[in-house]
C-alpha cells in the first residue's frame, strides 16, 4: 500500500478520477480515500496547506503502515534551475529552508545552533532529509522512459520547504544561493520528517507552476502543473512493482 498526500483539492482531481475507490476512512477531521490505482492499493488524503497540516496528515497516514509515502503537488522553480512551467520535479532531498536563526552575519541553520530537527537511533538530521536514492533513480527512469508527447521535462534535485512563499526575485536568488535548490514548496520537509520518524520511505513529486520571481500570477499555470504532478505519480505507481522494498 502506498500513501499519497497533497495539500489542496486541485492537486488531486486527476488521481481521484483514476482511483477505483473501495472506502473512505475518517481520521479526526481528515478524510482518507482507500482504493486501487495503477494496480496498487493506495491511500489518498488532501491534507491542507503548510507544514502543520502536512505533518498531521502524514502522521495519520503513517499509522496505516504504508510501504511508502508520496507527497505531490505544485511548486515554484528557482530562476537558475532550468525547470519550466509544466515540468516535473523529483526531490533528491528536502531542506527545511527557514528553520534556524537570523544573525548579524545572515541566516544560519539548525546545525549552527547545534540542535538537530530530528534525532533517531540511526540518523541525525539538522535541515536536510534525503530521499531513498534507489527509488528516486527508478522514478526518474520511469518518467523519462515513458514520457508522453507534449509533456514537460523531468528534473531532480533539492527541494526547499518554506512557511512563506517567495514572492520577489531578490529573495529567490538568496534562497537559491543558500540551498542550491531546484524548487520550493510548503509541505515536503514536514512529510519527510514524519516519514523518517516512522521508518517509512518517502518521495516527493512536484509539477512546476511558476518561476520564483517577483510575484505575477498571470505567468503561473497551476492546472498544468497539478496535472503534470498527478500524471507522474500515476506512471511511478505503474512501475512500482520492480522495487517493492522502498
Amino acid at each position: 500500500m502506498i500513501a499519497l498526500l497533497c495539500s489542496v483539492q486541485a492537486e488531486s482531481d486527476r488521481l481521484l478520477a483514476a482511483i477505483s475507490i473501495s472506502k473512505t476512512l475518517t481520521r479526526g477531521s481528515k478524510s482518507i480515500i482507500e482504493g486501487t490505482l495503477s494496480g496498487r492499493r493506495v491511500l489518498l488524503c488532501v491534507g491542507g496547506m503548510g507544514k502543520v497540516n502536512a505533518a498531521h496528515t502524514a502522521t495519520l497516514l503513517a499509522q496505516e503502515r504504508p510501504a511508502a509515502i508520496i507527497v505531490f503537488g505544485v511548486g515554484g522553480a528557482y530562476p537558475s534551475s532550468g525547470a519550466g512551467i509544466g515540468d516535473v520535479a523529483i526531490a533528491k532531498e528536502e531542506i527545511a529552508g527557514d528553520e534556524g536563526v537570523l544573525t548579524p552575519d545572515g541566516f544560519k541553520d539548525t546545525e549552527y545552533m547545534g540542535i538537530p530537527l530530528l534525532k533517531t537511533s540511526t540518523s541525525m538530521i539538522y535541515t536536510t532529509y534525503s530521499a531513498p536514492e534507489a527509488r528516486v533513480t527508478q522514478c526518474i527512469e520511469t518518467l523519462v522512459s515513458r514520457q508522453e508527447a507534449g509533456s514537460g521535462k523531468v528534473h531532480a534535485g533539492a527541494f526547499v520547504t518554506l512557511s512563506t512563499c517567495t514572492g520577489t526575485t531578490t529573495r529567490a536568488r538568496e534562497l537559491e544561493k543558500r540551498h542550491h535548490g531546484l524548487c520550493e514548496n510548503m509541505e515536503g520537509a514536514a512529510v519527510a520528517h514524519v516519514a523518517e520518524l516512522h521508518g517509512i520511505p518517502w518521495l516527493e513529486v512536484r509539477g512546476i507552476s511558476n518561476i520564483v520571481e517577483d510575484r505575477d500570477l498571470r505567468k503561473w499555470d497551476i492546472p498544468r502543473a497539478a496535472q503534470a504532478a498527478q500524471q507522474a505519480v500515476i506512471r511511478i505507481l505503474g512501475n512500482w512493482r520492480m522495487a517493492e522494498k522502498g
Side-chain angles (χ1 to χ4, degrees), residues 92-97 109-111 117-118 123-131 158-159 179 189 192 196 202:
K92 289 186 174 181
E93 59 187 22
E94 254 293 0
I95 300 169
D109 64 20
T110 60
E111 187 168 9
L117 293 177
L118 175 62
S123 64
M124 183 178 295
I125 295 172
Y126 287 96
T127 57
T128 302
Y129 306 82
S130 297
F159 286 18
H179 299 300
E196 295 284 352
W202 63 274

Side-chain angles (χ1 to χ4, degrees), residues 75-83 88-97 127-131 136 140 154-162 172 175-186 188-189 192 202-206 208 212:
Y78 288 114
S80 301
S81 66
V88 172
I90 305 293
K92 289 186 174 181
E93 59 187 22
E94 254 293 0
I95 300 169
T127 57
T128 302
Y129 306 82
S130 297
V136 169
I140 295 168
V154 178
H155 307 265
F159 286 18
V160 183
T161 298
L162 304 165
L175 290 168
E176 186 174 38
K177 181 178 180 181
R178 179 191 302 162
H179 299 300
H180 308 288
L182 166 59
C183 66
E184 69 175 43
N185 69 95
M186 300 180 73
W202 63 274
L203 289 169
E204 185 169 3
V205 181
R206 296 278 171 185
I208 301 302
V212 183

Side-chain angles (χ1 to χ4, degrees), residues 59-76:
T59 300
L60 295 177
L61 291 170
Q63 292 171 356
E64 303 298 323
R65 302 309 303 167
I69 296 177
I70 301 177
V71 55
F72 66 96
V74 306

Side-chain angles (χ1 to χ4, degrees), residues 128-155:
T128 302
Y129 306 82
S130 297
E133 184 176 355
R135 179 62 75 179
V136 169
T137 298
Q138 186 197 29
C139 289
I140 295 168
E141 291 173 351
T142 294
L143 295 178
V144 171
S145 66
R146 301 184 182 188
Q147 267 189 303
E148 298 175 351
S151 62
K153 297 179 181 178
V154 178
H155 307 265

Side-chain angles (χ1 to χ4, degrees), residues 24-140:
T24 300
L25 310 174
T26 301
R27 300 289 184 267
S29 63
K30 305 294 185 185
S31 294
I32 302 174
I33 301 296
E34 182 176 337
T36 303
L37 177 64
S38 296
R40 295 204 63 86
R41 184 173 166 232
V42 297
L43 299 173
L44 170 63
C45 187
V46 178
M49 185 181 74
K51 299 173 188 173
V52 174
N53 279 317
H56 172 60
T57 305
T59 300
L60 295 177
L61 291 170
Q63 292 171 356
E64 303 298 323
R65 302 309 303 167
I69 296 177
I70 301 177
V71 55
F72 66 96
V74 306
Y78 288 114
S80 301
S81 66
I85 293 173
D87 287 357
V88 172
I90 305 293
K92 289 186 174 181
E93 59 187 22
E94 254 293 0
I95 300 169
D98 49 16
E99 307 294 337
V101 57
L102 191 60
T103 77
D105 296 321
F107 178 85
K108 305 292 184 182
D109 64 20
T110 60
E111 187 168 9
Y112 169 87
M113 299 169 67
I115 306 173
L117 293 177
L118 175 62
K119 185 176 181 180
T120 70
S121 59
T122 58
S123 64
M124 183 178 295
I125 295 172
Y126 287 96
T127 57
T128 302
Y129 306 82
S130 297
E133 184 176 355
R135 179 62 75 179
V136 169
T137 298
Q138 186 197 29
C139 289
I140 295 168

